[in-house]
Amino acid sequence: IVDPVAGRQVWSPILAIRDTDVVTPLTDRFRVPVVIENDAAATALAVTSRDGRLQEGLVAVLMIGHGVGMGLLSHGGPFPGTHGFSSEIGHVRRQPSGAQCRCGQRGCIEAYLADYALYRDARSIANLPIANHQQPSEEQMTVLVRRAEEGDGGLQRLFDEAGSSLSDAVRTVASVLAPHRIAIAGSGMRGYHLMKASFEAGLRDSLNPSYDPLSRIVIAEGGVDLIVEGMVQLALQRLDAELATGVPVREAG
């Protein structure tokens, strides 16, 4: 969780530090303006800029990969709010006393869907190398997906559970916000084809006659590149705003 207005990192399940000023030291060091935002929010900006269907009404963009996050946008722009437009949807609990999440809770959506959770559980049933710093590499996740594709029943069941967890996330978003569209993106989509059946089954089981989330889903391609693209957009927006208001942009030293 970040506060983009104050330029601070507020909380992260993978960092020991809390409430830390990130922007000021970087600005002082490089002598250029610096923007900070949650990776899911950056992904949301990139995804909506690529797809016209996501540029009207309220849109929720779920990002799955290292973790599970969500960015909210209204008519293609950041959803109004003082602390940015990201949400920690991954830390909504789906099963009390369930799988261990790295945030410290048990049973979070992320604990069944994020890369680290899938790989952790896969190692308990398959011969896979240890992940560095508890976070699997892209190569390790690619191997995991391939082995599930090749018919390893235990690994296939992990992806089935991940698909059910993803449907829980979408149902939660649909019930609380009823957005015009729900997009799903991120590096974790490399295994979406293995999750698709259980994901769609989970949504069909909870269809509301007045709101069908399955008909509003948009699957977006891209992983880390979406985060980079979204942050570039934020930086350019900052530059445009400063130029439009006549406030000079500080020169790089």
Side-chain angles (χ1 to χ4, degrees):
I1 299 174
V2 300
D3 183 341
V5 177
R8 304 183 74 84
Q9 174 265 352
V10 179
W11 174 83
S12 169
I14 59 174
L15 297 175
I17 58 174
R18 299 285 188 271
D19 194 24
T20 303
D21 184 352
V22 176
V23 166
T24 300
L26 291 173
T27 301
D28 292 344
R29 173 65 179 83
F30 296 105
R31 288 195 256 178
V32 294
V34 174
V35 294
I36 183 175
E37 188 49 88
N38 180 274
D39 54 357
T43 294
L45 279 177
V47 168
T48 54
S49 69
R50 295 181 180 185
D51 192 327
R53 294 173 296 174
L54 303 177
Q55 295 172 14
E56 56 179 283
L58 179 64
V59 170
V61 180
L62 274 69
M63 185 199 75
I64 63 175
H66 286 333
V68 178
M70 182 176 71
L72 287 173
L73 297 104
S74 178
H75 300 288
F79 189 75
T82 58
H83 295 293
F85 52 109
S86 62
S87 163
E88 292 296 325
I89 185 69
H91 298 292
V92 171
R93 297 177 72 182
R94 66 185 292 252
Q95 292 187 14
S97 302
Q100 181 66 54
C101 182
R102 62 184 174 182
C103 74
Q105 294 188 123
R106 284 190 173 273
C108 294
I109 288 171
E110 181 177 293
Y112 300 87
L113 182 56
D115 287 354
Y116 77 87
L118 278 167
Y119 198 80
R120 173 196 64 199
D121 292 346
R123 288 197 69 247
S124 70
I125 57 176
N127 183 21
L128 294 167
I130 297 174
N132 292 332
H133 307 295
Q134 299 182 352
Q135 181 63 49
S137 66
E138 180 61 29
E139 180 181 2
Q140 288 173 318
M141 289 303 300
T142 299
V143 169
L144 175 57
V145 169
R146 185 176 69 245
R147 289 184 57 172
E149 290 172 337
E150 291 172 349
D152 187 311
L155 298 183
Q156 289 175 339
R157 285 189 290 274
L158 289 181
F159 281 100
D160 284 341
E161 184 67 22
S164 296
S165 183
L166 181 58
S167 70
D168 286 345
V170 169
R171 285 202 306 268
T172 299
V173 172
S175 297
V176 175
L177 299 174
H180 182 68
R181 295 282 183 186
I182 302 173
I184 308 173
S187 59
M189 296 301 285
R190 70 176 83 75
Y192 175 69
H193 58 292
L194 298 168
M195 307 178 201
K196 184 177 179 181
S198 59
F199 168 63
E200 292 185 349
L203 292 186
R204 283 193 294 268
D205 286 345
S206 61
L207 288 181
N208 181 331
S210 64
Y211 187 92
D212 174 11
L214 190 56
S215 67
R216 300 170 189 266
I217 296 294
V218 174
I219 303 299
E221 296 184 356
V224 175
D225 58 307
L226 292 174
I227 301 173
V228 175
E229 183 179 328
M231 291 309 299
V232 169
Q233 287 188 38
L234 285 170
L236 291 175
Q237 290 171 11
R238 164 80 174 269
L239 178 63
D240 288 345
E242 292 189 1
L243 291 175
T245 58
V247 177
V249 179
R250 284 171 286 183
E251 297 180 351

